[in-house]
Amino acid sequence: RNFMELTINRVGKNYARDKWGLRDFSLTLTPGVWGLLGPNGAGKSTLMRILATITRPTEGQVLWNGQDINRSPEALRTVLGYLPQDFGLYPNLNAIEFLQYMAAIKGLERHSANRRIEELLLVVNLMEARKRPLGSYSGGMKQRIGIAQALLNDPRLLIVDEPTVGLDPEERVRFRNLLSDLSGDRIVILSTHIVSDVEAAATEIAIMQQGRLLRQATPEALLRAVSGWVWEWLVPSEQVADLRRRCVISSMQRRVEGVRLRVVQQQSPHPAARPVEPDLEDAYLYAMSSARLEQ
């Protein structure tokens, strides 16, 4: 396959006089799975819509292999797969009818489209449910048919926006595994506010906050940044409120004898606290909180 690069160059999106959904956002993406992490309202969906050529940026530019996608969107659209957050299905169509309809919209030739549909139904494990109306599908099945439509044209750029919201834990794991399998020779962008979604699949992580890029790093580099800074200990429940004001708490578990706290900071927070191995949730929360302190 040929060279593939998506360059986001100082992109901004202005919604009202002083309300920016995105500001001065730059990132260069190459093949692999990119986890775009950030809280709701961080500007992830705005960025995804700009990359999918649905929304135009107010400033800056996006280049696909050196071509400005605003000036010539077709070059990207033919190799784009997109699963938006509020992906709508036709409840009365079955999986085959729906995928044939989507293939027609994408301008795929009918014979090869039918072959591709069969392949994809196997990939997303919906072969047995292919004749059932989509209205009868579970949340996880709907997401899988959504991925299938995004893959119809074997995209070089696959954009998936908040795909696991509303899925049960088992469906979520299945969906993540599916995304890992798909990476191959393409750029996959997985936009989410759920850290464990990117933990399994992502080769690169970009953390967003308030429309800006906070950090871009491999999962390993993010973990190294908080190595030796994660602590756990048991705290009487009446002390928790005070600690929440002073520390970055990445998890709390209620026990009979108190609350098991997990805290991210450089120095030991308490004589009884013991250092533990960091996970990606710790690294993400630390990146978010240190950015808040710098503001």
Side-chain angles (χ1 to χ4, degrees):
R1 291 289 180 142
N2 49 5
F3 169 76
M4 247 187 294
E5 190 176 78
L6 182 67
T7 311
I8 306 166
N9 192 5
R10 308 202 63 169
V11 162
K13 180 69 183 172
N14 181 253
Y15 285 117
R17 200 179 54 193
D18 49 1
K19 187 175 183 320
W20 289 80
L22 272 180
R23 199 78 210 255
D24 202 16
F25 193 100
S26 297
L27 187 63
T28 298
L29 298 98
T30 49
V33 180
W34 291 73
L36 186 68
L37 256 185
N40 291 329
K44 301 188 301 296
S45 289
T46 301
L47 180 63
M48 298 300 98
R49 282 197 297 271
I50 288 172
L51 299 182
T53 73
I54 291 164
T55 304
R56 283 175 165 268
T58 310
E59 57 183 29
Q61 55 177 181
V62 179
L63 305 176
W64 171 251
N65 294 340
Q67 276 191 302
D68 186 329
I69 68 167
N70 252 345
R71 291 213 191 95
S72 44
E74 277 317 302
L76 175 58
R77 281 178 188 160
T78 51
V79 294
L80 171 73
Y82 179 44
L83 176 57
Q85 195 176 342
D86 41 11
F87 174 61
L89 289 168
Y90 296 81
N92 302 326
L93 297 184
N94 67 32
I96 293 175
E97 292 163 340
F98 172 69
L99 291 174
Q100 283 173 336
Y101 169 67
M102 294 304 286
I105 289 178
K106 291 182 188 214
L108 301 178
E109 189 272 314
R110 190 170 179 142
H111 182 68
S112 56
N114 287 341
R115 249 200 340 264
R116 179 78 180 145
I117 287 168
E118 193 138 316
E119 273 169 36
L120 287 171
L121 287 169
L122 283 169
V123 168
V124 298
N125 195 15
L126 286 171
M127 208 56 188
E128 281 171 16
R130 69 189 184 278
K131 299 272 175 74
R132 276 172 47 193
L134 300 179
S136 71
Y137 277 24
S138 72
M141 291 165 83
K142 285 177 178 160
Q143 286 294 37
R144 297 209 303 275
I145 201 78
I147 273 287
Q149 67 77 30
L151 290 169
L152 279 167
N153 56 339
D154 193 15
R156 310 274 51 108
L157 173 63
L158 175 63
I159 297 175
V160 186
D161 196 1
E162 293 282 1
T164 66
V165 172
L167 300 194
D168 66 37
E170 199 181 324
E171 289 180 325
R172 189 168 269 170
V173 169
R174 214 183 285 136
F175 194 83
R176 283 178 201 149
N177 293 343
L178 176 59
L179 279 184
S180 312
D181 296 345
L182 291 177
S183 54
D185 185 20
R186 63 179 114 223
I187 299 172
V188 179
I189 306 175
L190 168 59
S191 159
T192 180
H193 66 284
I194 301 165
V195 174
S196 51
D197 279 354
V198 299
E199 197 152 24
T203 42
E204 287 280 338
I205 292 176
I207 299 177
M208 277 185 84
Q209 191 180 38
Q210 291 171 339
R212 293 176 187 271
L213 178 68
L214 271 191
R215 264 206 82 175
Q216 178 222 326
T218 61
E220 296 75 23
L222 284 172
L223 289 171
R224 275 197 302 275
V226 290
S227 181
W229 294 2
V230 185
W231 313 84
E232 273 189 2
W233 81 110
L234 253 175
V235 178
S237 32
E238 59 272 14
Q239 291 176 19
V240 172
D242 178 50
L243 284 163
R244 281 187 101 144
R245 280 193 292 275
R246 294 187 291 125
C247 305
V248 179
I249 294 176
S250 72
S251 80
M252 285 167 52
Q253 290 164 327
R254 303 222 165 258
R255 295 273 188 271
V256 181
E257 60 277 31
V259 179
R260 179 152 218 82
L261 275 196
R262 191 174 171 103
V263 164
V264 190
Q265 63 181 47
Q266 281 163 306
Q267 276 78 35
S268 168
H270 189 273
R274 61 184 187 88
V276 288
E277 275 293 296
D279 62 26
L280 213 49
E281 186 86 41
D282 301 320
Y284 168 61
L285 286 165
Y286 184 76
M288 297 288 287
S289 70
S290 49
R292 273 197 297 276
L293 296 175
E294 283 160 23
Q295 276 171 10

